[in-house]
């Protein structure tokens, strides 16, 4: 949800510039966009319906006076909501960084309820930031498979046998409406990609070995609740992610048009012109 330093927006979605040189690296979330998400279509239709329900009389009038403009706005309603949600997520992530670093953060009433829940989670687990937090908002790279992504939180938690500490990779997920139990199909693949990348990018753009993550989870943050949900991120999930990466890369490089084949005697056939 943040804007990492080496990330760039392209016509094919987000990519990362590799500070060590070499080809651009597809972002983890960009690769996962190649996976079909059946719930998106009814969700987008619902956003358009919500816009009409919120102002039915005005919508009815505009349906007569400016139907084309109204249609364009309703078709784009889900994009506006998505942009707002993405912006909120970015601000929550930035607030989380400030919380861990005990740094000042400008007043943001929309973000603060999520920050309060995150702080509650840290207190629940008795987290000592200096002792338990290994890394935050750190970019990982897998040059062999050509991808990069940014993880939210690497943290030691006492979840092993006899209370031994284990290193977790945790991804924050925010939503204003979804229950805190929600896990989407592609999210384990996202964490698998981050977990299995062998390189961390340090602030000075040099490489460091990946951290020895033991377990992975989503931390669903809501305005009045939070929930830590462990999700799998093993070899099976990693292989599925790599398949999504190959699909995304193929789609990004596929031609947008193909040749029409005609019989040699048909008008417009190259063979006819040659004859």
């Amino acid at each position: 949800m943040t804007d990492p330093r080496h990330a760039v927006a392209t016509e094919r979605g987000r990519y990362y510039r590799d500070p060590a040189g070499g080809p651009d690296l597809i972002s983890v979330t960009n690769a996962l966009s190649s996976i079909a998400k059946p719930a998106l279509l009814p969700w987008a239709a619902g956003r358009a319906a919500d816009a009409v329900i919120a102002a039915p009389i005005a919508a009815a009038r505009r349906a007569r006076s400016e139907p084309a403009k109204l249609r364009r706005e309703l078709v784009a309603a889900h994009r506006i909501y998505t942009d707002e949600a993405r912006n909120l997520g970015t601000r929550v992530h930035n607030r989380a960084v400030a919380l861990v670093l005990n740094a000042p953060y400008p007043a943001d009433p929309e973000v603060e309820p999520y920050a309060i829940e995150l702080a509650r989670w840290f207190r629940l687990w008795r987290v000592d930031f200096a002792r338990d937090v290994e890394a935050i908002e750190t970019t990982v790279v897998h040059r062999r498979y050509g991808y990069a992504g940014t993880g939210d939180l690497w943290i030691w938690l006492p979840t092993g046998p006899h209370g031994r500490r284990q290193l977790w990779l945790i991804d924050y997920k925010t939503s204003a409406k979804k229950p805190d139990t929600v896990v989407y199909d592609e999210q384990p693949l996202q964490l698998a990609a981050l977990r299995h990348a062998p390189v961390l990018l340090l602030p000075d753009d040099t490489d460091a070995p990946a951290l020895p993550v033991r377990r992975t989870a989503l931390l669903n943050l809501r305005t009045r609740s939070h929930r830590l949900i462990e999700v799998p991120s093993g070899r099976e999930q990693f292989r599925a992610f790599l398949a999504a990466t190959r699909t995304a890369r193929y789609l990004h490089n596929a031609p947008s048009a193909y040749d029409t084949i005609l019989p040699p005697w048909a008008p417009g056939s190259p063979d006819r012109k040659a004859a």
Side-chain angles (χ1 to χ4, degrees):
M1 279 295 187
T2 56
D3 295 313
R5 185 154 55 97
H6 297 291
V8 292
T10 75
E11 293 180 353
R12 301 170 298 159
R14 173 181 280 185
Y15 276 73
Y16 282 77
R17 304 285 190 213
D18 188 347
D24 288 351
L25 307 163
I26 190 171
S27 80
V28 171
T29 52
N30 191 4
L32 292 175
S33 67
S34 67
I35 297 176
K37 300 174 178 65
L40 284 182
L41 185 58
W43 172 81
R47 298 307 305 179
D50 289 343
V52 173
I53 292 169
I57 296 176
R61 289 173 179 166
R62 294 185 63 198
R64 284 178 169 273
S65 62
E66 47 182 7
K69 183 177 180 181
L70 175 63
R71 185 181 187 279
R72 287 195 300 271
E73 291 177 7
L74 293 177
V75 168
H78 72 284
R79 298 193 197 103
I80 295 171
Y81 178 83
T82 299
D83 290 343
E84 291 174 349
R86 184 179 294 114
N87 177 268
L88 175 62
T90 296
R91 285 149 51 209
V92 170
H93 278 66
N94 292 339
R95 180 69 179 90
V97 170
L99 179 62
V100 172
L101 298 179
N102 193 28
Y105 188 84
D108 191 335
E110 191 178 11
V111 166
E112 204 55 28
Y114 298 96
I116 290 171
E117 289 300 323
L118 178 57
R120 285 175 177 164
W121 182 79
F122 283 131
R123 288 196 300 271
L124 175 68
W125 283 91
R126 300 176 180 175
V127 170
D128 180 314
F129 294 142
R131 178 195 65 199
D132 299 326
V133 174
E134 195 72 39
I136 54 173
E137 294 297 332
T138 301
T139 296
V140 299
V141 171
H142 204 315
R143 295 187 177 97
R144 176 182 175 187
Y145 292 119
Y147 75 83
T150 300
D152 293 338
L153 176 68
W154 284 258
I155 188 170
W156 294 93
L157 297 176
T159 51
H162 310 293
R164 288 202 298 268
R165 299 199 311 159
Q166 294 178 315
L167 185 61
W168 287 73
L169 172 56
I170 293 175
D171 195 67
Y172 305 133
K173 299 296 183 186
T174 59
S175 175
K177 294 187 175 182
K178 297 293 184 182
D180 61 14
T181 55
V182 168
V183 176
Y184 293 108
D185 293 340
E186 70 275 9
Q187 288 171 340
L189 278 60
Q190 176 188 5
L191 281 163
L194 298 173
R195 176 182 183 179
H196 291 279
V199 170
L200 292 176
L201 286 185
L202 298 179
D204 63 358
D205 291 341
T206 59
D207 292 356
L211 297 169
V213 171
R214 180 78 175 187
R215 299 166 76 173
T216 53
L218 306 174
L219 180 51
N220 283 342
L221 296 172
R222 305 297 184 258
T223 56
R224 297 185 178 181
S225 68
H226 65 263
R227 188 180 297 267
L228 183 69
I229 302 175
E230 183 171 11
V231 298
S233 59
R235 303 303 302 180
E236 180 181 4
Q237 289 75 29
F238 186 52
R239 285 193 296 269
F241 168 76
L242 293 179
T245 301
R246 290 192 294 271
T247 300
R249 192 173 286 113
Y250 167 79
L251 294 173
H252 292 171
N253 296 314
S256 58
Y258 296 88
D259 292 337
T260 300
I261 303 302
L262 298 170
W265 55 83
S269 168
D271 294 334
R272 177 171 177 169
K273 290 179 180 179

